Amino acid sequence: MAPFLDEARMDSEDSIAALDSRQTLRALATAGAQVREAVDLSLEAGIDRVAGGERPRSVLVASLGGSAVVCDVLDLLAEPGSPVPVSVRRNVPLPGWVGPLDLVIAVSLSGRAAGPLALAAEAARRGASLLTVGAAHSPLAEVSAQARGVHIDSGRGRTSSRTAMWSMLAPALLGAGRLGIVDVDEQVLHATADRLDEVAEACRPSSESFVNPAKVLAADVAAGVPMVLGDGPLAGVAAGRAASMLARTARMPATTGELPDDAAQVVACFDGPFTASFGGGEEGAVGAGRPVDDIFADPYLDGPPAPRLSLVVLRDAPPQEPSTPEQAAAVGLTDAVVRGARDAGATVSEVTAQPGAPVTRLAGLMATTDFAATYLAIGLGLDPAVSPHVADLADRTGRGDR
């Protein structure tokens, strides 16, 4: 049975105030301001001094948990044209090839996450250059200072790595941009901040459910079993972030995929028990052999209908120039997957990026799904920032959003 989503909660100021104890929606709305503040803090900290102002032999990026998206975005943006290799590491050990000619970017909102902290400390011991992002006066900041690296303060009032993503991502992108590893500078980041402001305005709490894109998406996802699909590498990173936010914020387990590699994996699910075309199962089993929307089903005799598949398709912006054969084939593949999902009776939602630089397009996709996951939590009657089970895990192991 699909979970019950009370859409009235998403439109009610009182319900939002009661459930959103740590003002997650407000924090997400500050994403544009986070980018602008991060640019200022990076310049004040001497971002031009990263790696002595010289291009390193290689770059290793260390972040995990709620900060893990920093690794994913840097890897994505560097891949097309970086003159040096960029690799990702979540935890120790530091690869043996890292040495004085390399740069390590370590990110942790608290400045205490064990993995990035240990990697930064070992990189410093080997004489590698350091760029660190996190709380001021933290162990990570101390490691950077001792190694004569560059440390960027994560800013004021940042309490969750999930909602402070841009405070950590923007300095890392700016530093990599200074070294020619990614095509990002202050102008691109300010345009990204403007895009984040536009999404925040469209997804504001006072915008009613039938016109608010994030609330509409939340209602669609709540209808069944979510699967988030990106139509290429950029949207694939956004899909990974969306699945993480759905699980961590809305407590909805979600699978994720990226085209073209995961096309067969996604389409195979259209034959499964969460679509109207399902006809398997043992005779007499609940839901076996009958469509999800069977109007003749008796809820007392047959039981509640099975939840349907909710496919969320994240699309990159269409090319402004005439598309290449490869781009046309990619669009055709995405369209075919969407048609197959609809034919199978799945709920299909599409979010398309607006034109701009890659990081700007990515920002719009991620911001929309961030808001959707938060509204979904509120509609389900959950606090988007507080999970008793996560709190219990943190008490037992010391692990949480870092």
Side-chain angles (χ1 to χ4, degrees):
M1 183 172 61
F4 172 69
L5 179 80
D6 186 350
E7 295 188 27
R9 289 195 190 107
M10 299 191 295
D11 290 331
S12 167
E13 292 184 7
D14 291 339
S15 295
I16 291 174
L19 289 167
D20 193 4
S21 66
R22 298 185 183 177
Q23 297 187 318
T24 301
L25 287 172
R26 182 182 294 274
L28 291 175
T30 68
Q34 289 178 34
V35 173
R36 298 184 186 94
E37 182 185 42
V39 170
D40 292 339
L41 290 172
S42 298
L43 296 175
E44 291 173 7
I47 194 74
D48 292 324
R49 294 189 294 106
V50 171
E54 298 182 0
R55 184 173 294 161
R57 177 181 63 181
S58 69
V59 177
L60 183 140
V61 189
S63 65
L64 49 76
S67 310
V69 70
V70 176
C71 288
D72 300 331
V73 175
L74 271 169
D75 189 34
L76 167 76
L77 298 181
E79 186 175 5
S82 174
V84 302
V86 176
S87 58
V88 170
R89 196 78 177 182
R90 308 294 187 190
N91 212 328
V92 289
L94 186 69
W97 50 261
V98 175
L101 299 179
D102 305 302
L103 169 67
V104 171
I105 301 176
V107 177
S108 165
L109 181 65
S110 66
R112 299 177 182 277
L117 181 58
L119 288 166
E122 177 60 17
R125 189 186 69 79
R126 297 188 196 176
S129 299
L130 279 183
L131 170 60
T132 57
V133 185
H137 312 298
S138 64
L140 186 62
E142 293 175 7
V143 167
S144 187
Q146 292 170 4
R148 297 184 179 180
V150 176
H151 181 77
I152 313 298
D153 183 8
S154 53
R156 302 182 298 275
R158 311 293 182 234
T159 58
S160 168
S161 56
R162 282 176 291 136
T163 57
M165 175 185 68
W166 289 100
S167 293
M168 298 175 289
L169 177 56
L173 289 174
L174 191 58
R178 285 290 199 271
L179 298 172
I181 295 166
V182 298
D183 188 14
V184 175
D185 56 17
E186 290 97 323
Q187 184 177 358
V188 169
L189 287 176
H190 282 297
T192 301
D194 292 341
R195 178 66 52 81
L196 290 166
D197 287 345
E198 292 169 5
V199 175
E201 174 65 20
C203 300
R204 66 191 186 278
S206 60
S207 175
E208 295 181 338
S209 295
F210 57 89
V211 295
N212 186 313
K215 293 180 182 179
V216 171
L217 182 57
D220 288 345
V221 171
V225 180
M227 175 181 288
V228 190
L229 180 66
D231 72 348
L234 186 144
V237 170
R241 165 74 176 185
S244 174
M245 287 292 286
L246 284 171
R248 183 64 179 84
T249 302
R251 275 70 115 191
M252 290 283 284
T255 58
T256 182
E258 177 186 317
L259 295 178
D261 290 352
D262 296 326
Q265 171 181 309
V266 172
V267 172
C269 295
F270 301 164
D271 302 322
F274 301 115
T275 61
S277 60
F278 179 62
E282 297 180 1
E283 185 176 356
V286 174
R290 68 178 177 87
V292 176
D293 295 327
D294 185 356
I295 61 173
F296 298 106
D298 186 325
Y300 294 99
L301 297 178
D302 300 322
R308 68 171 65 235
L309 182 69
S310 294
L311 180 66
V312 179
V313 180
L314 304 184
R315 291 181 180 257
D316 197 358
Q320 295 179 312
E321 300 177 356
S323 61
T324 65
E326 293 78 9
Q327 290 171 329
V331 172
L333 176 61
T334 305
D335 290 342
V337 171
V338 169
R339 286 196 301 272
R342 290 195 169 117
D343 289 345
T347 300
V348 179
S349 306
E350 297 185 66
V351 182
T352 302
Q354 297 301 308
V359 67
T360 305
R361 305 198 307 269
L362 181 64
L365 291 175
M366 291 196 297
T368 301
T369 54
D370 283 356
F371 275 106
T374 305
Y375 282 122
L376 177 56
I378 292 169
L380 295 174
L382 301 169
D383 187 327
V386 179
S387 165
H389 285 89
V390 172
D392 181 63
L393 178 66
D395 290 340
R396 292 172 184 271
T397 66
R399 294 181 62 88
D401 282 350
R402 295 295 182 93

